[in-house]
Every structure is written in structure tokens, then in C-alpha cells.
Amino acid sequence: MDITKDPIEPDRLRDELIDDRAGAYVGFEGWIRNHNEGQDVLRLEYEVYVPLALSEGDKVIAEAKKKFPLLHAECVHRSGSLEIGECAVWVGVTSAHRDEAFAACRYIIDQVKVRLPIWKKEHYVDGHSGWVNCERCAEHGQLHPEAVSP
Amino acid sequence: MDITKDPIEPDRLRDELIDDRAGAYVGFEGWIRNHNEGQDVLRLEYEVYVPLALSEGDKVIAEAKKKFPLLHAECVHRSGSLEIGECAVWVGVTSAHRDEAFAACRYIIDQVKVRLPIWKKEHYVDGHSGWVNCERCAEHGQLHPEAVSP
Amino acid sequence: MSKSITVRYFAGFREHAGTDQETVSVAASTAGDVFAALKHRHGSTEPLGHCKVAINDEMAEWDSAVNDGDTVLLFPPVAGG
Amino acid sequence: MSKSITVRYFAGFREHAGTDQETVSVAASTAGDVFAALKHRHGSTEPLGHCKVAINDEMAEWDSAVNDGDTVLLFPPVAGG
């Protein structure tokens, strides 16, 4: 698991998973969409509590490797301010066959999204902003229902 | 759908799917493994009947776009002689959310593998060779049970 | 009644036949009949369901009708990816 | 009995509290007690199950015991990816 303030480079990260025993590579990327729940998004800010995001992310990856016969698995998440189109999170998995690569890639991104201490604040084109998922956080402008994110 | 004799460049192909409306990108790559069913593989040869591989591949992609709310989907398959580690097939899908990107990517690779007129001959380290999946093709050295490929 | 059919062989079928294409005269109503009549050429004992067929560059079924002058493409079990 | 607890606030909780960290004296046996006692600070009416908690940089449960001197990290609903 890695957390980075710099742009994620999926091609470079993929290359680190190359292995002659691998028959399948599945990569997932979460990109900043220009809309969420009917609102036009301008940019996003990710707040990450790094020590626990790293340890919890490592746990998730270790779980995936235990559940599925993988060769390699890795995940990188951005922190800080991101523009539309930027890659917020990357997951890459290699294995002998494709079943486990798809399943493990999906497992990792699903768990990363619900378990790692990472928060995102959306800044909208109309000027307001809000923390995603935080309907009842008593914050101004946080009127989002349960977020459906990528 | 595309069939190419040249090396597949997943990073360049991925870039063609970029879209501000996309929140999820899922990419699949099939790589040439150094083993298959207990045998050490030296290299592979793909024979492709291009006209029907293209039209059937386009059908598969169109089906995926009908089944799932995608933004973009593409598939490229190699033909000719490939070495261990080379990318034999790439599938890339973008969509607003990840559910459909995973499902569509999986759908496309599954269908491409069973429907497109593409055959692979494995050349083994011990000198013999055989057409994968062709147990009863009455060819010399083709003693493979149903192949479990990436 | 015999029909003139151009048969194209692929992969293992081509290697067994020693040619990628030939025109033959066969008594055949369907693509499956062509496959059966040419067993000595493609050499396959695969169940038809494992193989595929195209007629005049369109994917077809084994019970699809063949006409005089058609080109029938015999595909051994595919293995893309 | 009151304990001295260092509380760390994240994201919306931090913005509501106006600080990322403070040391408070609270009568609390569990992490959940700390969350409840500091409702006026983090401002959340989220169900506990939507939020997460860590004690001394280890993920914890809401019924995990807190001890004098512990640091309790209050996490609003996460939204990675």
C-alpha cells in the first residue's frame, strides 16, 4: 500500500508486477469524474490519515493474497487536491489465471473504499463543497445522501 | 476490436479511453505465461482469422455496451509469434462507476476467448508443440486436455 | 446431389489437411455434413460443439444450409487470450 | 472516573471542532463513550456504525476500552477511491 501526493503513474506501477509466471493482469483506476449525484464537480480534496491508511491497506492486500492464489498485488491512493480526470486510486493484480486477478482486484478496491481512513471533499462548480458520505456530520453544505462513488 | 502483429501498448490504449465523465477504468491483460498445465512454455504462436475475429470482436464489444452503462470499451489481440511475458490480449473499459467496468471487462475477455477465431500453438521447452484446446484434433503432439488459459 | 464447396482449414485442421483451402464436390445439405464428409482431411474427432463454422465469412451453425459455390470455413476449438 | 484523553478529529469532524486535536477530561469506559461525550465538539449525528475509531494508532471498536492517557482518533464516514 502506498499513499502519494504525486500523480499516480499506472503504467509504471503495472510494470512492477511483471512476472513470467503471470497469465493475467487486472488493473483498476478510480478517476475524478466531473459529476457526482447530479452535481458538477470542479475538483476534489482527499484527506488521508497516512499511518493507518498504510497499515489497513497492507492488511487488505494481505487478505487478498490469502483468499486468492495471486502472484502480486498493489494499491496506491492519492492525497491532497485532485482535478477532474486525475487518477485517485490504482489497484493492480497479477496471477496465473484471470479468475483470481479479477476477484482480488475487486476485493482490494472494495475494501480500500470502506476501511481506509480517507475522506474526500468535493468542490462543486456552483461554489459550495462537502465531504462525501457525511450526510449527518453536521457540516455546512454536507447534504449528500450515501455516496455512490466509482 | 483490433488485431495486431505489433506489441500491444496498454498505456497508450488506456489513454484513448479517457473521459471526464469516467469514474472507473478496468484493464485486463493476458500475458504469455512460462507454463501451462505442467509444461514449460518457450513461446506461443497465435493464428487469427482476421476478418471474422474483427467482426465477432466488434459484436462482443457492442453486446457489452448494451448490457452495461459504459462510456468506452476496446479490445486488442495479438497475432503471430509471442515470447514469454508478452501481452497477448488487452481489454479496457471506462464507466461512471466501477461495478459495470469490472463486469463489462470480464464479459468481453470471456467472450473473446470462446468466440473469436483465434488459435494458439504452444512451443514447449522440451521441443514439442501443440494447439491449445485441440485434444482431439488428431494432430501430432496435441495431447492437451481442455485448456485452462489466463 | 453433389455441390461444389470451397473448404478452408484453420490451425490444426490446416496442418492435418496439408493445405489451407481446397474445392471439393460433396453431397451435403448442411455445414455439419461438410465437416463429416471431410473428416479424412481435417482429421478431427472433436465433437462438433467444440468446433465452429463460418459460411462465406459469416459465422454459421452446423445445421446452416450450404449451397453450391459456398465457401465453408472449418474452425477447430478456439483458444484466444 | 474521569480520564485524560487526547482526541484527534478528522475531515468534517475537524472542521466542526475547529481543531485537529485536544486533550479532554471525560468520564468514559469505551471509545463509544468518548464519541458520545464529545458530540458537541465533532457535531456528528451519524450512527456510530458509519464512523470508525482508532486508539493509539490502532483500529479499534466502539466498545474497546479507553485508558487514561490514550489518544482516541474519531473518523467520520470514510470515502476513499
Side-chain angles (χ1 to χ4, degrees):
Chain A
M1 185 73 214
D2 196 17
I3 304 292
T4 177
K5 287 178 181 170
D6 303 318
I8 289 175
E9 297 172 284
D11 51 333
R12 194 182 55 73
L13 292 165
R14 165 214 183 260
D15 288 353
E16 289 175 15
L17 305 188
I18 286 175
D19 190 309
D20 278 357
R21 299 166 297 172
Y25 166 81
V26 173
F28 170 81
E29 298 177 32
W31 295 349
I32 307 298
R33 295 202 295 281
N34 61 7
H35 65 284
N36 193 22
E37 293 164 37
Q39 302 205 71
D40 292 328
V41 176
L42 193 64
R43 62 182 184 83
L44 248 84
E45 254 176 81
Y46 282 97
E47 177 174 335
V48 180
Y49 183 56
V50 176
L52 276 183
L54 290 177
S55 61
E56 197 69 8
D58 284 338
K59 264 188 222 168
V60 166
I61 292 168
E63 287 164 14
K65 287 181 173 171
K66 204 171 166 183
K67 278 177 183 288
F68 308 102
L70 308 180
L71 290 165
H72 307 286
E74 193 48 270
C75 177
V76 179
H77 202 294
R78 278 287 294 275
S79 66
S81 188
L82 277 79
E83 306 290 321
I84 304 299
E86 281 199 90
C87 179
V89 58
W90 169 87
V91 179
V93 173
T94 50
S95 56
H97 303 289
R98 71 185 183 287
D99 268 347
E100 53 261 33
F102 272 105
C105 187
R106 184 68 203 251
Y107 178 81
I108 292 170
I109 185 60
D110 285 357
Q111 295 293 314
V112 159
K113 278 171 163 278
V114 297
R115 284 169 52 183
L116 271 57
I118 299 178
W119 301 272
K120 82 179 144 198
K121 192 177 204 171
E122 288 181 340
H123 295 265
Y124 305 105
V125 172
D126 70 8
H128 79 286
S129 65
W131 293 99
V132 173
N133 266 9
C134 210
E135 194 182 358
R136 291 167 293 267
C137 285
E139 286 303 303
H140 324 294
Q142 291 175 11
L143 303 170
H144 297 273
E146 196 74 7
V148 184
S149 39
Chain B
M1 187 70 214
D2 196 18
I3 304 291
T4 178
K5 286 178 182 170
D6 302 319
I8 290 175
E9 299 172 284
D11 51 334
R12 194 183 55 71
L13 293 164
R14 165 216 184 256
D15 289 354
E16 289 176 15
L17 305 187
I18 286 176
D19 190 310
D20 279 357
R21 300 165 296 172
Y25 166 80
V26 174
F28 171 81
E29 298 176 33
W31 295 349
I32 307 300
R33 292 203 298 282
N34 61 6
H35 65 284
N36 193 22
E37 294 164 36
Q39 303 204 72
D40 292 328
V41 177
L42 193 64
R43 62 181 186 83
L44 248 85
E45 253 177 84
Y46 281 97
E47 175 173 337
V48 180
Y49 183 56
V50 176
L52 276 183
L54 290 176
S55 61
E56 197 69 9
D58 284 340
K59 265 189 220 166
V60 166
I61 292 169
E63 286 164 14
K65 286 180 173 170
K66 205 172 166 183
K67 278 176 183 286
F68 308 102
L70 307 181
L71 290 164
H72 307 286
E74 194 47 271
C75 178
V76 180
H77 202 294
R78 278 286 296 275
S79 66
S81 187
L82 276 79
E83 305 290 321
I84 303 300
E86 281 200 271
C87 180
V89 56
W90 168 88
V91 179
V93 173
T94 51
S95 56
H97 304 289
R98 73 184 183 287
D99 268 348
E100 52 263 34
F102 273 105
C105 186
R106 183 68 204 250
Y107 179 80
I108 292 169
I109 185 62
D110 285 357
Q111 295 294 314
V112 160
K113 278 170 164 278
V114 298
R115 285 168 52 183
L116 271 57
I118 299 178
W119 301 271
K120 81 181 145 196
K121 191 177 204 172
E122 289 181 340
H123 295 264
Y124 306 105
V125 171
D126 69 9
H128 79 286
S129 65
W131 293 99
V132 174
N133 267 9
C134 211
E135 194 183 358
R136 291 169 293 268
C137 285
E139 285 304 303
H140 323 296
Q142 289 175 17
L143 303 170
H144 296 275
E146 196 73 8
V148 183
S149 39
Chain C
M1 200 191 75
S2 268
K3 292 167 182 165
S4 171
I5 302 287
T6 297
V7 183
R8 296 187 60 177
Y9 302 108
F10 293 84
F13 290 178
R14 184 191 60 249
E15 291 188 355
H16 192 269
T19 182
D20 62 353
Q21 179 171 334
E22 61 188 355
T23 300
V24 294
S25 178
V26 284
S29 304
T30 66
D33 294 341
V34 174
F35 185 87
L38 293 169
K39 193 158 280 187
H40 64 292
R41 298 294 289 142
H42 55 71
S44 176
T45 58
E46 289 275 357
L48 271 190
H50 291 189
C51 305
K52 290 181 197 298
V53 67
I55 301 173
N56 303 332
D57 268 1
E58 294 282 346
M59 294 304 294
E61 305 297 327
W62 289 112
D63 60 3
S64 298
V66 289
N67 297 306
D68 194 61
D70 277 353
T71 297
V72 175
L73 292 73
L74 299 181
F75 297 149
V78 301
Chain D
M1 201 191 73
S2 269
K3 291 166 183 167
S4 173
I5 302 287
T6 297
V7 183
R8 296 186 62 176
Y9 303 107
F10 293 84
F13 289 179
R14 184 191 61 249
E15 290 187 357
H16 192 269
T19 182
D20 62 353
Q21 179 170 334
E22 61 190 353
T23 300
V24 295
S25 178
V26 284
S29 302
T30 67
D33 294 341
V34 174
F35 186 87
L38 293 170
K39 192 157 277 185
H40 64 292
R41 298 294 288 144
H42 57 72
S44 175
T45 58
E46 289 275 357
L48 272 191
H50 291 188
C51 305
K52 289 182 195 298
V53 66
I55 301 174
N56 304 331
D57 269 2
E58 294 282 348
M59 295 302 294
E61 305 296 328
W62 289 111
D63 60 3
S64 298
V66 289
N67 297 307
D68 194 62
D70 277 354
T71 297
V72 174
L73 292 72
L74 298 181
F75 297 149
V78 301

